[in-house]
Amino acid sequence: MITREQIPTVLDHPVYDSAGKKIGDARHVFFDEVSGQPEWVSVKTGLFGTSESFVPIHDATVVEDHLEVPYLKNKVKEAPNVDVDAGGHLSEQEERRLYEFYGVDWEAAWRQTQPDAKKAAGRPTDEAMTRSEEQMRVGTERRETGRARLRKYVVTEEQQRTVPVRHEEVRVEREPVTEANREEAMSGPEISEAEHEVTLHAERPVVETKAEPVERVRLTTDERVEEETVKGKVRKERIEADTDENDRRS
């Protein structure tokens, strides 16, 4: 349990759960009006600290500049919402709900302290009244709106190319016997049979394919900023003075 002297170290400082995770910041400390000991601490949770959860403080400890409570963060955030009256008191019914939620023996606590009401002691009070206002804070959250993917597949298309091809044909050449070629013409037998064979060649088109890299494709995202108007309701306290001065004048 923390002492009254440690309250300035607790208020507006972080509150951590039993696993070392930050729950939020301490907002108020509530005292038992019989024993005068701190009994509850309210913790600002949620986005921008818009929610407030109550946590028992009797088993809490102050470590350096923060408060550690023996409960998990999710447990604290799921604590029932309770109403604090204008004087900063917790009613018996509200306190019973909190005791039951945290598994604290209500009957034992009642016998020890007889808590008729708990008074908030966020800071030393004086004769002035504090007026508070709710402030609307607007933030953004990132959420998934869709997915895009690259998919590669193969298609086959017909292509046409023209390529020259060559082939050999037989052509018979005849030349008369002259003095220049007579010796070659007379080198064989006078009358005989003979054959001479020539091999013919022809070219034909040959198709060959080879994969070549031609392009690199990737997915990127571009961020666009648009203006959106959001509305919310905030509560403000007003302070008016009621006097009987007018009655005395009449």
Side-chain angles (χ1 to χ4, degrees):
M1 178 182 294
I2 70 172
T3 63
R4 298 179 70 95
E5 291 73 17
Q6 291 175 307
I7 291 177
T9 308
V10 172
L11 292 176
D12 297 325
H13 284 74
V15 178
Y16 286 80
D17 68 358
S18 56
K21 295 182 179 179
K22 182 180 178 181
I23 303 173
D25 294 328
R27 185 173 184 180
H28 297 290
V29 172
F30 290 76
F31 292 93
D32 183 285
E33 290 191 339
V34 176
S35 65
Q37 296 299 319
E39 191 167 4
W40 299 94
V41 61
S42 64
V43 184
K44 294 182 287 186
T45 60
L47 184 64
F48 303 118
T50 54
S51 301
E52 190 171 357
S53 300
F54 284 76
V55 191
I57 205 172
H58 52 79
D59 291 328
T61 56
V62 176
V63 179
E64 295 180 353
D65 62 343
H66 66 270
L67 182 69
E68 293 185 1
V69 295
Y71 303 99
L72 293 177
K73 179 178 182 178
N74 289 340
K75 180 73 172 178
V76 175
K77 293 180 69 174
E78 293 172 0
N81 294 325
V82 298
D83 294 326
V84 179
D85 63 23
H89 293 82
L90 284 176
S91 67
E92 178 182 330
Q93 292 76 15
E94 298 287 21
E95 191 173 33
R96 181 186 289 271
R97 290 176 59 203
L98 290 171
Y99 271 124
E100 292 176 352
F101 175 78
Y102 286 104
V104 179
D105 188 347
W106 160 257
E107 297 298 336
W110 174 268
R111 287 193 299 268
Q112 291 176 4
T113 62
Q114 297 182 359
D116 295 328
K118 308 299 170 186
K119 185 172 183 64
R123 285 173 176 79
T125 59
D126 52 24
E127 294 181 356
M129 182 179 294
T130 300
R131 186 179 70 85
S132 301
E133 294 183 358
E134 291 181 339
Q135 296 182 351
M136 186 173 70
R137 295 181 175 87
V138 180
T140 61
E141 63 177 2
R142 191 178 184 89
R143 61 185 180 90
E144 184 176 298
T145 58
R147 291 177 179 269
R149 63 177 59 87
L150 287 177
R151 183 171 62 91
K152 183 170 70 172
Y153 58 94
V154 178
V155 297
T156 302
E157 61 180 19
E158 290 286 340
Q159 291 189 352
Q160 182 175 301
R161 298 287 189 274
T162 301
V163 58
V165 294
R166 296 174 295 178
H167 68 278
E168 295 177 343
E169 296 180 350
V170 174
R171 179 167 54 85
V172 178
E173 294 183 354
R174 300 175 184 272
E175 60 181 15
V177 177
T178 62
E179 291 298 331
N181 60 11
R182 179 177 295 276
E183 183 177 350
E184 294 179 356
M186 299 296 294
S187 62
E190 293 181 359
I191 301 296
S192 63
E193 293 182 356
E195 289 184 358
H196 183 71
E197 185 178 274
V198 175
T199 300
L200 301 177
H201 298 86
E203 295 178 339
R204 64 183 179 86
V206 176
V207 177
E208 181 184 69
T209 60
K210 181 181 179 182
E212 295 285 350
V214 295
E215 187 180 29
R216 296 283 292 167
V217 181
R218 65 173 55 87
L219 287 177
T220 59
T221 60
D222 294 328
E223 189 174 85
R224 299 287 186 266
V225 178
E226 299 177 351
E227 294 289 338
E228 289 192 12
T229 302
V230 297
K231 296 181 179 180
K233 294 182 179 180
V234 296
R235 298 178 299 172
K236 299 182 178 181
E237 295 177 342
R238 295 289 185 263
I239 298 176
E240 295 180 355
D242 292 333
T243 68
D244 58 357
E245 185 176 331
N246 292 333
D247 295 336
R248 291 198 301 269
R249 291 177 179 175
S250 59

